[in-house]
Amino acid sequence: MSAFVPAVRAEFTKTLSTRMWWILAIILVAYVGLLAGGIAFGLGALDASGQDDAPPGPVGMGETVAGIPVDLLAPVVYSLATAVGYVFPALLGAMLVTNEFRHKTLTPTFLATPRRGAVLSAKWVVMFAFGALFGIAALIGTVGLGAAGLTAFGFDPILGESDTWALFGRAVLAMALWALVGVGLGVIVPSQVGSIVIILAFTQFVEPILRLAGGFADWAAQVAQFLPGAASDALVGASIYTVMSGAGSESLDWWQGGLVLLAYAALFTVIGYLANWRRDVT
Amino acid sequence: MPEGVPIEFDGVTKRFGSVAAVSDFSATILPGRVTGFLGPNGAGKTTSLRMLLGLVAPTSGRATIGGRSYAEIERPFATVGAALEAASFHPGRSARDHLRVYAQASSIDARRVDTVLDAVGLTPYAKRRVSGYSLGMRQRLGLATALLGDPGVLVLDEPINGLDPEGIKWIRTFLRSLADEGRTILVSSHLLSEVQQTVDEVLIIAKGRLVHTGPLASLESHAVHQVVVDSPTRPALADALTAAGMEPVPADDGLIVTGAEPDQVGAVAFAARVQLSVLYRRKAASELEDSFLALVGEEGSL
């Protein structure tokens, strides 16, 4: 423990003393905020125009807008913070690790803290905190602009309900876990360009396609629910992807989703530790 | 005042695949003096230092500082300061923040950051990002990192590389004063001439093996002697020397004989009744460098 607490302080300073964290945070807030505002205004305008051609949901689900039950409008808009924004904490986590390889700072880092496991644990602690911070920032964006859009068209932003705030809490947890997944991926793929490309390609392209494919067969849906993005959406409890892929898709319970995401982070980190972190630093 | 402790390499070997980077390397580096760790590029200097510092795991053998391996030292920066390469900085971080990070990681008082910045002359540039630093400034920042914990042992890999003449003079004086305080100073270089005026002891490594160790002056005994001799009848002298089994080489100021002492040359001339006009042993300026190169082999000239 004697090396761990100092290592945590050092990792906080490392993260705060370069520009990357706030550049990513600003892009994240602007991106998910504008998306949430745009979708809220778009759906509101569609509903108000009376030209909603989408088939209504199953009987008993009540009024829908573009096929989305009105009850789910606000959660779907707010959860864009995680459903779209989760890539940002993952990038931050991966960069905190790959920076050490890229700029050869592993040398002074391991000189100051020869217990290498303590360094990696410290990165987990610090990235969990920054991931949570990103989650709060992203929610400020989606709730701020999203609630404004919903309210403007007469929908209830349901900000007074405890369920909504529970969703916010789970969203913050999801973002924190994604930063840990990023740390794990960064140790497995120490090349900075390599790990950034993998994160972007997987989250923006590979996983959406796999989840879409999961909608075509039962067995595929069983597997697809364990994909990291699907687990994350299950943890948060609402997602534009879940709504789009229809009611037939499988989903984990929120706590199962959280555990699956944590398992990904832990598995990646342990594999990376064994494969790369213990190596000679030359 | 921090106390210097000995550095010890005990049969340290490192193989990368089938290539032996360092073979059975044993040496002791004592406090209170500056020890030069010399050898051509690729001789195994950096690998040896990295094994000492726990960054590279030895294939066999053990390197210790004051009897303990690096990993066993609590708060290592307070015992050992190391500067290994001039590029171990995040370019987007300022010198001050760089030092703050490692001060925190090794539980060193934050006030030391300003002290060491001042000691290496970087205070005016402390808030500038490292990406704007020259090689010389990076060297100074590396040294500042090594000094953070006010350690009794300093390990510096090629610290003179990239410094301007003023910087070289400064670091010589600085290392001398640190050694005089009783610290252990190990400085690597691939050029003897670079550290000749700084070091008391030398440790010479070539192809991963220790080839010489001892005080700097001990290199002189390895130097190849040159005797300069001349005569009004130089051809007769040359014949006499050749007949005596020496190999005189004509030069501007006479004949150069290597591998013999002046008295032997004089005796040959006397026996052959050749008059001598010049006879002295050359105090070649490159004598140490020559013996260094002779020790490390041909590739030393690279």
Side-chain angles (χ1 to χ4, degrees), chain A residues 9 13-14 17 111 280-281, chain B residues 14 50 55 70 93 104:
Chain A
R9 292 179 63 211
T13 308
K14 264 182 207 173
S17 60
L111 285 177
D280 287 347
V281 182
Chain B
K14 179 64 182 182
R50 285 183 174 272
L55 295 168
Y70 193 86
R93 194 173 284 140
Q104 288 176 344

Side-chain angles (χ1 to χ4, degrees), chain A residues 73-129:
Chain A
L73 273 184
V76 162
V77 167
Y78 299 157
S79 66
L80 286 164
T82 51
V84 174
Y86 70 102
V87 65
F88 289 86
L91 285 175
L92 187 73
M95 290 184 75
L96 180 68
V97 175
T98 53
N99 272 338
E100 301 262 20
F101 289 95
R102 181 177 173 205
H103 301 300
K104 302 189 171 183
T105 46
L106 274 186
T107 293
T109 295
F110 288 162
L111 285 177
T113 314
R115 282 184 45 221
R116 300 186 181 185
V119 177
L120 209 48
S121 312
K123 287 190 191 294
W124 260 51
V125 171
V126 170
M127 281 299 102
F128 192 84

Side-chain angles (χ1 to χ4, degrees), chain A residues 163-188:
Chain A
D163 279 359
T164 309
W165 287 90
L167 179 135
F168 293 166
R170 295 194 304 270
V172 168
L173 176 63
M175 294 290 263
L177 290 173
W178 273 107
L180 303 187
V181 173
V183 170
L185 200 79
V187 206
I188 290 189

Side-chain angles (χ1 to χ4, degrees), chain A:
Chain A
M1 280 306 279
S2 60
F4 176 66
V5 173
V8 169
R9 292 179 63 211
E11 293 300 328
F12 261 110
T13 308
K14 264 182 207 173
T15 311
L16 288 171
S17 60
T18 63
R19 291 171 289 186
M20 189 51 65
W21 74 275
W22 57 261
I23 291 176
L24 280 177
I26 286 173
I27 298 173
L28 164 67
V29 173
Y31 181 33
V32 297
L34 291 175
L35 206 57
I39 287 176
F41 274 95
L43 292 175
L46 184 69
D47 187 54
S49 70
Q51 291 178 335
D52 184 357
D53 297 333
V59 181
M61 277 192 71
E63 194 193 345
T64 65
V65 182
I68 304 171
V70 167
D71 289 353
L72 285 182
L73 273 184
V76 162
V77 167
Y78 299 157
S79 66
L80 286 164
T82 51
V84 174
Y86 70 102
V87 65
F88 289 86
L91 285 175
L92 187 73
M95 290 184 75
L96 180 68
V97 175
T98 53
N99 272 338
E100 301 262 20
F101 289 95
R102 181 177 173 205
H103 301 300
K104 302 189 171 183
T105 46
L106 274 186
T107 293
T109 295
F110 288 162
L111 285 177
T113 314
R115 282 184 45 221
R116 300 186 181 185
V119 177
L120 209 48
S121 312
K123 287 190 191 294
W124 260 51
V125 171
V126 170
M127 281 299 102
F128 192 84
F130 272 87
L133 186 75
F134 272 34
I136 293 167
L139 283 171
I140 289 172
T142 57
V143 174
L145 290 171
L150 293 171
T151 312
F153 288 95
F155 294 109
D156 183 1
I158 56 169
L159 287 174
E161 291 185 21
S162 60
D163 279 359
T164 309
W165 287 90
L167 179 135
F168 293 166
R170 295 194 304 270
V172 168
L173 176 63
M175 294 290 263
L177 290 173
W178 273 107
L180 303 187
V181 173
V183 170
L185 200 79
V187 206
I188 290 189
V189 186
S191 152
Q192 187 155 73
V193 173
S195 55
I196 289 173
V197 166
I198 287 173
I199 288 175
L200 291 178
F202 188 84
T203 59
Q204 308 303 303
F205 185 67
V206 178
E207 171 150 14
I209 287 179
L210 289 177
R211 288 173 74 182
L212 204 61
F216 293 113
D218 271 353
W219 67 268
Q222 288 294 334
V223 176
Q225 64 181 337
F226 288 100
L227 288 168
S232 168
D233 287 345
L235 165 59
V236 175
S239 162
I240 192 136
Y241 287 110
T242 324
V243 168
M244 283 194 313
S245 57
S249 66
E250 298 284 335
S251 178
L252 301 167
D253 283 339
W254 73 267
W255 59 272
Q256 290 172 323
L259 286 180
V260 168
L261 205 53
L262 180 65
Y264 273 110
L267 186 71
F268 289 171
T269 306
V270 168
I271 292 174
Y273 174 81
L274 295 174
N276 295 319
W277 202 248
R278 295 186 308 169
R279 281 195 184 187
D280 287 347
V281 182
T282 52

